[in-house]
Amino acid sequence: LPQEEAPAPAAQAEKFAKVLAYDGWSQEYWLTLEAPCSGECTLPAAGVRPVLWDAENPVADADAILQRHEQAVASTEAAARLQEELDGVNLGLPDGQLILYSAHKNSAPQPTIPTYTAEEARRFEEEHGVPPPRPYSQRPVETHVRGVVQGVCRATEVYLVRRHLGAKGTASATSRVPFASVTPVLWGSSDVEALMQELLAGHRAETARRELALGLQNGIRHCSLGLTE
C-alpha cells in the first residue's frame, strides 16, 4: 500500500509589532506587539522584517530602510576592524559610553579534598590503581559584562556604571568599576572612526592631567592644615 505523506507542519503565525528601540551593539529590537497580541518583547534583528503595507509612500520607506541597513552593516564591520586599537584605553570616557568591564563571580562551592604528600600519594595509587584527586581551584571566574558609563570618581579611579540591557536600555542600579577593568567599545556608533578618535584623544588628555595632578600632589603632601570642605 502506498504510504501516506506526513502532513506539512503548520506555518508559524506571524506577529506584528512596532519598534520601540534598536540597539546596534546587541543587534536586537525592543518591540510593542500589535493586536490581536499585546505586550512588549525583545527580538534579535535576524527575527524581524519590515512591513510596508500601511506606508503612505512604500518606495521612499523601502529606500530609507535599505539605507539604514547598509549603514548599520558598515558600522558593525568598522567596529570589528578598529576595536583592537582601543586596548588599554580606559581614561576620560564620556557619560553614555558603551563599555565592557571585568567582573568576578565566585565559583560554586566544592567539596573539600585533602592534600596528599608524595608518600601518601604513592600509597594511594598503589591501593586504588589511580592517582589521588587534586584539590579544586577556588579562584573566581572572570566574566565580561556590558555596561554604560554614568559618571566618574577620579579620587578613587572608578567609573559609575549601569548594566547594558540591549534595546531596553540600562539597569537602574549603578556599580563602581575600576578604570583598569574597563574597555570602551565601538559597536552601535553611527560614526565609528570619529568615536575612536574621540576616545583616543580623551584618554591622552586625561592621562596628561592625571600625571600633572599626581606630580603636584606629591609636592604638597606635607600640607595638612587649613584644608577646606
Side-chain angles (χ1 to χ4, degrees):
L1 295 176
Q3 295 183 353
E4 295 183 0
E5 295 184 359
Q12 185 176 3
E14 291 185 328
K15 297 180 181 180
F16 294 91
K18 287 186 177 179
V19 174
L20 295 176
Y22 171 70
D23 180 66
W25 187 5
S26 59
Q27 294 190 358
E28 69 177 12
Y29 287 97
W30 183 21
L31 307 169
T32 178
L33 299 175
E34 298 281 276
C37 300
S38 62
E40 298 174 354
C41 66
T42 56
L43 283 178
V48 174
R49 63 186 180 90
V51 174
L52 299 175
W53 297 337
D54 61 346
E56 294 184 5
N57 190 336
V59 175
D61 285 4
D63 289 341
I65 290 170
L66 179 60
Q67 183 178 1
R68 287 194 294 268
H69 174 79
E70 292 175 346
Q71 289 173 345
V73 170
S75 175
T76 300
E77 293 175 349
R81 184 177 70 253
L82 299 174
Q83 180 63 38
E84 288 185 1
E85 298 191 28
L86 294 180
D87 288 349
V89 174
N90 51 33
L91 299 180
L93 303 183
D95 289 358
Q97 174 60 44
L98 300 176
I99 61 170
L100 280 174
Y101 63 95
S102 299
H104 293 284
K105 290 185 177 180
N106 293 327
S107 57
Q110 302 287 357
T112 302
I113 296 178
T115 301
Y116 294 84
T117 66
E119 180 62 23
E120 290 171 340
R122 185 186 63 80
R123 289 201 302 267
F124 184 99
E125 187 167 0
E126 288 179 351
E127 294 176 5
H128 302 280
V130 294
R134 296 180 179 180
Y136 293 102
S137 171
Q138 298 297 326
R139 291 189 302 175
V141 178
E142 186 175 272
T143 61
H144 288 87
V145 183
R146 295 184 176 194
V148 182
V149 173
Q150 299 293 315
V152 62
C153 180
R154 289 190 174 106
T156 55
E157 297 193 350
V158 298
Y159 287 108
L160 305 180
V161 175
R162 289 182 179 175
R163 288 285 298 271
H164 179 265
L165 303 179
K168 296 185 71 173
T170 60
S172 58
T174 302
S175 302
R176 299 168 68 85
V177 182
F179 290 168
S181 299
V182 170
T183 301
V185 297
L186 298 171
W187 282 274
S189 171
S190 58
D191 192 336
V192 171
E193 294 192 9
L195 175 58
M196 185 187 70
Q197 295 303 323
E198 178 185 342
L199 294 172
L200 292 173
H203 179 77
R204 289 192 295 265
E206 189 69 2
T207 299
R209 191 206 64 80
R210 183 177 183 273
E211 292 175 352
L212 173 63
L214 291 177
L216 295 172
Q217 180 177 306
N218 290 333
I220 61 171
R221 64 174 60 187
H222 64 284
C223 301
S224 58
L225 300 179
L227 301 181
T228 58
E229 295 181 0

